[in-house]
Amino acid sequence: MTKTKAGLLAATALMLAAPAWAEWAPSRPVEFVVASGAGGGTDNFARTIQAVLTRDGIVESPIVVLNKGGGSGAEAFLYARQNEGDPHKLIFGTNNVYLLPHVAKLAYTVEDLQPVAALALDEFLVWVKADSPYQTVMDLVNAAKDAPGTIPFGGSQSKDTDETLVALIEQTTGADFKYVPFNGGGEVGVQLAGGHVAANVNNPNENAGQWQAGAIRPLCVFAPQRMAESEPVSGDMGWHDIPTCKEQGLEIESYQMPRTVWLPAGTEPEVLAYYQDALKKVAESQDWKDYLAKTSQSASFLTGEELARFIETSEANAVKVFEAEGWTAQ
């Protein structure tokens, strides 16, 4: 059992064992600490939640968003450690919270944070330029086998979510790509549209504009099933028309990134319960459903043991890739 899961299960057991926690509510402004720069996916995630909580009066205290994206988000997680036990700080991240300490020596560990909830899953797709010769993901994979190390495959950051997926494709198929890191998903999409890389892995929202303009096209999505029905995005093709990567013969059934919310370690159980209840109300709101549809994310509200199981599986699968690539921090 990972330390992350052990902490989650302990928190869940405390909540279930207690009769009824005394009511708690914020007594001063709440900080939403975002593990990314302004305008990124995690920033939009946090600001959407801020808007719903404030407009619907779910949280009456003012909410202030702080962007601390340095070190691939480590700045925000170190801030949580520096504010142990503070119930007025919520940290917004992805799987980077529990994966970063595996690939870099950092001044925080995952035990410095307490998981609150996951509210959505980001899907990942393989994209190519519109006039690319590759019609399926296996066409791309086979080309990388025939010409090892020569086909540039773009992604966001190094040893992060995107490069981990490219490495997983290589480990699964025996392909050998030339991974090219960029500063963010938006930049990756622009570079692909300009023909500077042959393919990229990206979230739907980050490449939607280039797809709509006819500059790029998706090959497949790393999910157990196709994405939800939608209006056409490019021509007569919508998100549901994109096949899964497994349908095309790539034996990776799922690769999804959670959008997660955390508290500093050491907060009281009634604080955790308060924020879980508030976030559940957000997840049930029409504004949240509209946000998910706009960003083509999958709805997934996870807390307690269910979140613990997800994190344990996500972490274990990623660490296997890190170890095979020699990325683990010594």
Side-chain angles (χ1 to χ4, degrees):
M1 181 184 293
T2 65
K3 292 180 180 179
T4 307
K5 183 179 180 183
L8 267 166
L9 292 178
T12 303
L14 280 171
M15 290 180 65
L16 293 176
W21 297 111
E23 286 190 12
W24 179 89
S27 58
R28 62 177 189 267
V30 176
E31 290 183 1
F32 277 15
V33 184
V34 179
S36 77
T42 304
D43 183 59
N44 291 334
F45 168 61
R47 291 180 189 275
T48 300
I49 293 174
Q50 175 201 31
V52 177
L53 291 175
T54 301
R55 187 207 63 204
D56 293 353
I58 299 170
V59 173
E60 295 183 0
S61 293
I63 299 173
V64 180
V65 177
L66 300 179
N67 293 94
K68 293 182 176 292
S72 296
E75 180 187 6
F77 311 139
L78 177 59
Y79 187 72
R81 178 184 179 182
Q82 294 167 340
N83 290 276
E84 179 181 356
D86 190 332
H88 294 89
K89 301 184 190 303
L90 283 177
I91 317 300
F92 288 74
T94 61
N95 53 6
N96 53 358
V97 181
Y98 51 88
L99 295 184
L100 279 174
H102 289 287
V103 297
K105 292 183 178 180
L106 300 170
Y108 87 94
T109 69
V110 72
E111 288 78 27
D112 293 318
L113 297 99
Q114 179 178 16
V116 178
L119 280 85
L121 294 174
D122 269 19
E123 307 293 354
F124 280 80
L125 294 85
V126 177
W127 303 81
V128 294
K129 203 164 179 285
D131 59 1
S132 169
Y134 311 122
Q135 300 303 312
T136 71
V137 70
M138 294 311 296
D139 290 342
L140 179 64
V141 164
N142 290 331
K145 289 181 178 180
D146 293 339
T150 64
I151 296 178
F153 205 129
S156 179
Q157 310 297 341
S158 296
K159 297 181 183 178
D160 205 342
T161 307
D162 290 7
E163 189 174 10
T164 300
L165 177 52
V166 174
L168 180 60
I169 296 170
E170 292 177 325
Q171 293 173 18
T172 302
T173 65
D176 183 7
F177 293 103
K178 179 182 178 182
Y179 183 76
V180 184
F182 296 97
N183 288 328
E187 183 180 345
V188 178
V190 171
Q191 294 296 320
L192 177 60
H196 303 294
V197 292
N200 76 3
V201 284
N202 222 342
N203 306 136
N205 192 48
E206 291 173 324
N207 270 8
Q210 287 87 359
W211 184 28
Q212 190 172 30
I216 66 174
R217 56 184 169 84
L219 294 183
C220 66
V221 59
F222 291 94
Q225 61 278 322
R226 294 192 180 198
M227 297 169 65
E229 294 279 0
S230 72
E231 295 294 323
V233 178
S234 182
D236 60 356
M237 190 175 185
W239 295 112
H240 184 71
D241 299 309
I242 303 169
T244 69
C245 295
K246 194 165 185 180
E247 283 181 67
Q248 291 189 346
L250 178 53
E251 292 299 318
I252 301 174
E253 183 172 0
S254 179
Y255 190 88
Q256 298 166 307
M257 183 179 73
R259 295 287 178 185
T260 55
V261 183
W262 306 69
L263 279 163
T267 52
E268 297 298 324
E270 59 264 34
V271 176
L272 176 64
Y274 173 87
Y275 285 119
Q276 286 177 336
D277 179 66
L279 292 171
K280 189 173 191 301
K281 291 175 181 175
V282 171
E284 293 170 347
S285 72
Q286 186 58 50
D287 279 356
W288 184 253
K289 294 171 185 176
D290 292 343
Y291 161 78
L292 293 179
K294 180 180 178 181
T295 58
S296 299
Q297 295 179 83
S298 297
S300 182
F301 185 77
L302 305 176
T303 59
E305 291 187 20
E306 192 175 15
L307 179 57
R309 288 193 297 269
F310 179 93
I311 290 176
E312 182 179 38
T313 300
S314 170
E315 185 175 8
N317 289 341
V319 169
K320 287 179 185 177
V321 176
F322 299 161
E323 291 174 344
E325 295 296 315
W327 295 348
T328 51
Q330 301 299 318

